[in-house]
Structures are given as structure tokens and as C-alpha cells.
Amino acid sequence: MDARHIPVLLAESLAWLAPERGGTFLDATLGLGGHAEALLDAAPAARLVGADRDPQALALAAARLARFADRVELVEADFGRLEERVGHRAPFAGVLADLGVSSLQLDTAGRGFSFRREGPLDMRMGRGGSTAADLVSTLSEAELTDIFRQYGEEPQARRVARAIVEARAERPIATTADLADVVRSARRPMRGEERIDPATRVFQALRIAVNEELDQLSELLDQAVRMLDHDGRLVVISYHSLEDREVKNRFRDLARGEVDPITGRTHSETRILEVLTRKPVRPGEAEVDANPRSRSARLRASRRL
Ligand SMILES: C[S@@+](CC[C@H](N)C(=O)[O-])C[C@H]1O[C@@H](n2cnc3c(N)ncnc32)[C@H](O)[C@@H]1O
């Protein structure tokens, strides 16, 4: 198994988190601990709580962070359970969320995330819940169409959904290769897409659905803001436009304060965040060359007032 994952926008994340101020930081997406290790190295006075829903990632990160054992606590939790699991360590001087999948998840055939590797059609980041194979074998054509359209922005959503429903009547779609074959033969080639696999959007959409990624993100933003100390930093790195839009809108709303429904005026004393990044921070050319997976990353940072 390839257990490497190159941390994305690392210097930028640390610059916005400013761990040299000391205090306790929450890495809500510990993964293989790349950002966490750099933070602990950069700030000897900082403590870190690392959370992830993936027990396999937590075990690998624990080994990597062993030398910081007296400053680190690792917890298995998805975003919906963060407050319950780590709330007793709040308030945090900063919260980092580096969303999406890790290279460990993507590159391990048995996790079923990738159309490039044959494995069971699973795609769950954590334990429990439905697998991608469950969704593909039970959802209706209309439900599959919705998922592909909404989460994958797949222009041929209905055509692919219909092909899946027809194929599964013949035999189960149980592996990543089974699904990739159905999608590749159903989709018509489209101009401008010559360099991406036709299964890309469908796989992304299913992954988002299996892991309820948008609901989870919404929970993360709610809970992180409640657990931040005054002047605490919230840094979120997202990898597709649906996530980035949610982060951008939530930051904007919390930075604006409550709007009086009658006068339409905003009450500035109810402002909760200050947005620190006017535009999303994106990786430079050198980073994208060295780590193509960073290509779609966008970082947004805010400060708790
Ligand atoms: C891009 S990786 C993080 C990599 C990490 N920053 C590093 O440098 O090694 C994203 C991690 O977030 C975790 N994750 C994604 N969504 C999650 C959620 N809703 N709750 C908890 N963990 C989540 C995944 O399991 C994965 O390990």
C-alpha cells in the first residue's frame, strides 16, 4: 500500500493558522498527519487534537506523530460528532479542515475509491453506512441521475443512470471496474474531455453521496465556529466547487452578522467571523507540478471575532 500523501497548501495553511501563538489546534481531517506534523514542528508551544473518520489513517498518523505524543491527542470522529468527541478540549486556537480523500484512501484498491484500481465498490471513508455498491444496486434511475447531476455535474447523468439500471438487471455491479466499464460504454465522448476518464464525474458523485460530504461540511462549519476561541482561525481547503461555495457563503454570512428582517440592516455586533482571504488561495504552478492532486485545491481562512 502506498501510504504517502503530500500535504496541500502547507505553508499557506500554517501562515493562516498562526500556530506560533500557542494554544490547542484541531485538525479535523488528520489523514496521514502531514499538516499536523508540520504544525507541531513549527510551534513547540502548540498542542494538537487530530480527528478523522478513517481508523486506518488514524493508526498511520499515530505512528508518524509519536514523537509529539505529549502534545497530541487522536480521536476517531466524523464532522457530525466533533463537538461530542473533542468539545472538552475547546476553545481551539485554530481549526483546520483539509477536505476530501487522502492518497491512502484513493490509492488503496480495497477501499474502492478509484476507477484506476480494481476493488470492491466501497468508497466509505469511515466505518458503517452504505457503500457505493449499495447505492448503485438499490437507488432508482431518477435518484442516481440526481446524484450524478448534483454532485458530479455530469452532463450525461440520465444516460449513465439508465445504463446502470439496465446493467444491474443482468448482473451485479460489485467492483470499481464493473462500474467504470458501464459508465465508459454508456457515455458519449465529449469535446474538451479527451484527457479525463469518462468515469471521473460519476465516481466523484458517488463518493460525495456515500460519505454525505456536503451535510458533513455543513456540520463541520457549525461546530468549528462554536469551538473556536476568540481570535481563533478557521482554515478550510476544499477540492470541488460545491464545497468551496458552501465555505465561501458560510464565511460571508457569519462575517456579515444578523440581518434585521424589517429594516434590512445588519447588526454588526452579531458578526461572528472576519474573513481573512478575500479570494480563495490556490496552489502555485510549482506545487501543482510536484503534486497534481493539489490542482483543484482552494483555501479559505477566517478569524473568530
Ligand atoms: C485530504 S485528507 C487529509 C490529509 C492530511 N491533511 C495530511 O496532510 O495528511 C482528508 C482526510 O479527511 C478525512 N475526512 C474527510 N471527510 C471527513 C469527515 N466528514 N469527517 C471526518 N474525517 C473526514 C478523510 O478520511 C481523510 O483522511
Side-chain angles (χ1 to χ4, degrees):
M1 177 209 324
D2 184 350
R4 279 171 307 162
H5 176 97
I6 306 171
V8 171
L9 291 168
L10 180 58
E12 294 83 350
S13 305
L14 292 187
W16 289 113
L17 285 167
E20 64 285 353
R21 294 172 300 132
T24 304
F25 290 78
L26 169 64
D27 183 344
T29 53
L30 185 70
L32 298 187
H35 285 92
E37 182 179 44
L39 184 149
L40 289 159
D41 261 333
R47 302 180 60 81
L48 181 116
V49 177
D52 203 293
R53 69 191 338 193
D54 182 346
Q56 195 184 5
L58 282 168
L60 291 166
R64 180 176 193 168
L65 301 178
R67 66 192 165 100
F68 304 108
D70 55 338
R71 294 196 278 142
V72 171
E73 184 183 341
L74 303 187
V75 178
E76 184 178 329
D78 67 19
F79 296 159
R81 299 184 62 199
L82 274 177
E83 245 173 338
E84 176 194 325
R85 303 298 313 277
V86 306
H88 60 288
R89 295 284 179 233
F92 294 112
V95 176
L96 171 67
D98 174 23
L99 303 171
V101 275
S102 68
S103 299
L104 168 73
Q105 292 163 336
L106 216 47
D107 294 339
T108 306
R111 304 288 303 262
F113 282 96
S114 174
F115 47 79
R116 293 200 186 88
R117 288 161 212 275
E118 174 147 22
L121 191 57
D122 190 326
M123 298 198 193
R124 288 170 305 168
M125 291 186 198
R127 309 174 203 247
S130 303
T131 65
D134 293 334
L135 300 192
V136 160
S137 62
T138 57
L139 296 184
S140 67
E141 183 181 319
E143 288 167 325
L144 289 169
T145 303
D146 262 4
I147 287 177
F148 300 153
R149 196 171 278 153
Q150 212 187 321
Y151 299 152
E153 297 175 59
E154 167 58 72
Q156 301 183 43
R158 181 171 299 282
R159 168 184 281 268
V160 175
R162 188 172 312 139
I164 287 174
V165 170
E166 281 166 14
R168 77 187 184 196
E170 303 289 320
R171 58 187 169 78
I173 300 174
T175 69
T176 51
D178 292 342
L179 178 64
D181 286 347
V182 174
V183 179
R184 286 176 190 139
S185 43
R187 263 178 122 261
R188 277 195 303 245
M190 289 177 62
R191 205 172 304 150
E193 276 193 1
E194 294 78 9
R195 290 174 53 203
I196 68 164
D197 191 290
T200 306
R201 291 170 184 276
V202 166
F203 271 67
Q204 172 187 303
L206 277 174
R207 193 200 84 205
I208 293 174
V210 164
N211 295 291
E212 299 174 337
E213 290 181 30
L214 294 175
D215 289 345
Q216 285 277 317
L217 174 58
S218 179
E219 283 287 342
L220 167 85
L221 295 170
D222 282 346
Q223 299 192 20
V225 166
R226 287 199 291 265
M227 291 190 290
L228 272 179
D229 205 351
H230 291 288
D231 199 34
R233 309 293 160 84
L234 174 55
V235 173
V236 185
I237 305 174
S238 55
Y239 293 87
H240 54 78
S241 53
L242 297 170
E243 282 174 346
D244 184 56
R245 197 177 312 148
E246 169 75 15
V247 177
K248 174 179 156 187
N249 291 343
R250 191 72 72 90
F251 278 14
R252 184 201 56 208
D253 292 348
L254 294 171
R256 186 193 282 154
E258 282 167 25
V259 181
D260 186 311
I262 296 167
T263 64
R265 283 213 205 104
T266 48
H267 295 292
S268 57
E269 70 284 2
T270 62
R271 293 176 65 218
I272 291 172
L273 291 180
E274 175 194 1
V275 179
L276 300 174
T277 45
R278 212 169 50 80
K279 287 185 170 172
V281 179
R282 311 195 58 175
E285 222 174 285
E287 177 166 2
V288 175
D289 283 347
N291 179 18
R293 282 181 186 165
S294 69
R295 197 181 327 111
S296 54
R298 285 157 195 249
L299 178 153
R300 293 185 188 268
S302 59
R303 183 176 78 87
R304 178 79 166 90
L305 295 172

